[in-house]
Amino acid sequence: MKLKLFLFAPFALLMLTTNTLAESIQNEDKINQCNQLIKDDKSEEALRLALRLISQEKSNREAMLCEARAQSAMGQYRDSISTLNSALSLAKQPLDRMVTLTMLGNSYKNLEMYPEAKTQYESILSLAQTHKNTGFQRIALSLMGSIDYLKNEYDSALKSYLASLKYAANDNERADIYSRISEIYKSTKNLDSSIEYQIKALIATAHYGDLEKQAEAGLTLGRLYAEAKQYKQAEQALNNVLNLSIDNEGPYFTVISYMEIIKVKLATNDNLEARKLIEKAKKVNQELGDIKLNKDIIELENKITP
């Protein structure tokens, strides 16, 4: 009898461990499914799944986070705040708390409750500094800068973004920060500094090879040059985007590039060249079939004097 009990005990422990592991894997699969539904624009379905998981386990923090993501995707920010506060009370690890605080701050931000949002971001920064997490130090500082920018507190926003640069781990992160600094300088009518940082953003973007972001950065630079009435530089920057788009068969950015160059031609009273470019833009957009771009092209064409 003792032998049977001795043999049964480890077997029962093994079964218990196996069942617990299986439940954990099953829950992880459901959470992944829930988050994927949100990415697929099926937020209502994701919310139902998250609520079902929480009904099965009241302390399922990951399900709460998916619930909050679904609520935010549907614009239910106040509900997401309530959900995230519940999730925060269950978050014991610093990383878990920083993730939850980020989401919480973003919900407040979407409700334009800027002081509350900034409080969450400051809490992230404090945690990140304590635990020497450079990634979240960058994120927290950038988010704090975004709040100050929305409040038109440009000096404070600039300070936060410049501080976040120290923690940027790659060109992708640097490009994002440079572009935001450029936007701050543009808002303060300091176009020279805005152009300087947008050039940095473009160079950083070119390093990590995202063609769409390269095009967007180049277009922004061209527009800044044009706003500063530096038309030669504007046209050069925009032609670079045009060539990039043509070489990589990107019809959308090809049309956009043509349109921006046309604006420069109109600003310099080069109506003849503007008309030629209008025809090129029309031809590319005819293949693309973008209705909105077609309207924009017609509006530009109507601005060309005979």
Side-chain angles (χ1 to χ4, degrees), residues 86 109 112 170 184 265:
S86 297
K109 182 180 177 181
E112 298 183 5
N170 53 55
I184 291 170
K265 295 298 183 184

Side-chain angles (χ1 to χ4, degrees), residues 215 218-226 231-245 253-254 256-265:
L219 287 169
T220 300
L221 179 61
R223 291 176 184 130
L224 284 169
Y225 275 129
Y231 297 121
K232 183 179 178 181
Q233 293 90 331
E235 192 168 341
Q236 182 179 349
L238 295 168
N239 271 314
N240 287 341
V241 180
L242 177 63
N243 293 332
L244 178 72
S245 302
F253 282 107
T254 299
I256 294 291
S257 299
Y258 276 132
M259 290 170 62
E260 293 299 328
I261 297 169
I262 290 165
K263 291 175 186 177
V264 173
K265 295 298 183 184

Side-chain angles (χ1 to χ4, degrees), residues 42-279:
K42 298 178 181 178
S43 299
E44 290 184 5
E45 192 176 339
L47 183 58
R48 287 194 293 271
L49 175 56
L51 291 172
R52 187 166 73 248
L53 292 172
I54 293 167
S55 70
Q56 295 168 0
E57 184 188 348
K58 300 295 184 186
S59 61
N60 192 331
R61 188 181 59 82
E62 290 296 332
M64 290 179 189
L65 293 182
C66 190
E67 177 189 3
R69 290 187 183 100
Q71 289 166 330
S72 293
M74 293 187 290
Q76 300 171 4
Y77 300 118
R78 293 188 185 279
D79 290 338
S80 72
I81 287 170
S82 176
T83 302
L84 288 165
N85 276 318
S86 297
L88 188 61
S89 68
L90 297 170
K92 305 304 179 187
Q93 297 301 317
L95 183 60
D96 294 337
R97 292 189 66 81
M98 287 187 283
V99 169
T100 309
L101 285 166
T102 301
M103 293 174 64
L104 187 57
N106 291 346
S107 289
Y108 279 122
K109 182 180 177 181
N110 284 318
L111 286 170
E112 298 183 5
M113 299 172 67
Y114 298 140
E116 292 84 353
K118 193 169 181 181
T119 296
Q120 312 311 313
Y121 300 151
E122 287 170 342
S123 295
I124 299 168
L125 181 60
S126 178
L127 269 172
Q129 288 172 336
T130 299
H131 295 279
K132 295 180 172 54
N133 187 315
T134 56
F136 265 101
Q137 287 184 67
R138 176 187 58 79
I139 290 169
L141 286 163
S142 291
L143 289 170
M144 288 163 60
S146 72
I147 293 296
D148 290 329
Y149 178 78
L150 289 169
K151 293 166 64 180
N152 298 328
E153 296 176 359
Y154 298 124
D155 287 343
S156 183
L158 185 59
K159 183 178 178 181
S160 291
Y161 280 122
L162 287 171
S164 71
L165 267 177
K166 182 170 69 170
Y167 303 108
N170 53 55
D171 283 318
N172 187 8
E173 293 173 0
R174 276 184 283 274
D176 179 67
I177 298 168
Y178 286 142
S179 65
R180 294 179 190 278
I181 293 173
S182 174
E183 185 63 30
I184 291 170
Y185 279 124
K186 179 186 174 185
S187 298
T188 60
K189 306 300 181 185
N190 186 345
L191 290 178
D192 287 342
S193 292
S194 182
I195 289 168
E196 176 190 344
Y197 275 91
Q198 189 57 34
I199 290 171
K200 290 181 179 182
L202 179 59
I203 292 170
T205 304
H207 285 167
Y208 66 86
D210 187 314
L211 295 176
E212 185 172 323
K213 288 187 177 180
Q214 280 186 54
E216 289 172 347
L219 287 169
T220 300
L221 179 61
R223 291 176 184 130
L224 284 169
Y225 275 129
E227 189 173 341
K229 294 183 169 42
Q230 298 180 35
Y231 297 121
K232 183 179 178 181
Q233 293 90 331
E235 192 168 341
Q236 182 179 349
L238 295 168
N239 271 314
N240 287 341
V241 180
L242 177 63
N243 293 332
L244 178 72
S245 302
I246 293 172
D247 290 346
N248 291 278
E249 299 180 352
Y252 176 79
F253 282 107
T254 299
V255 176
I256 294 291
S257 299
Y258 276 132
M259 290 170 62
E260 293 299 328
I261 297 169
I262 290 165
K263 291 175 186 177
V264 173
K265 295 298 183 184
L266 290 174
T268 56
N269 297 314
D270 190 349
N271 294 329
L272 181 61
E273 190 62 28
R275 279 195 187 282
K276 292 178 182 178
L277 293 172
I278 283 284
E279 295 308 314

Side-chain angles (χ1 to χ4, degrees), residues 3-22:
L3 180 60
K4 287 182 179 180
L5 286 173
F6 178 77
L7 291 173
F8 179 75
F11 178 74
L13 180 61
L14 176 62
M15 287 298 294
L16 180 62
T17 302
T18 302
N19 289 339
T20 302
L21 181 60

Side-chain angles (χ1 to χ4, degrees), residues 21-37:
L21 181 60
E23 288 173 3
S24 176
I25 293 172
Q26 185 180 35
N27 180 66
E28 185 178 345
D29 288 343
K30 291 293 183 183
I31 296 299
N32 289 337
Q33 180 186 346
C34 188
N35 289 323
Q36 187 60 49
L37 285 168

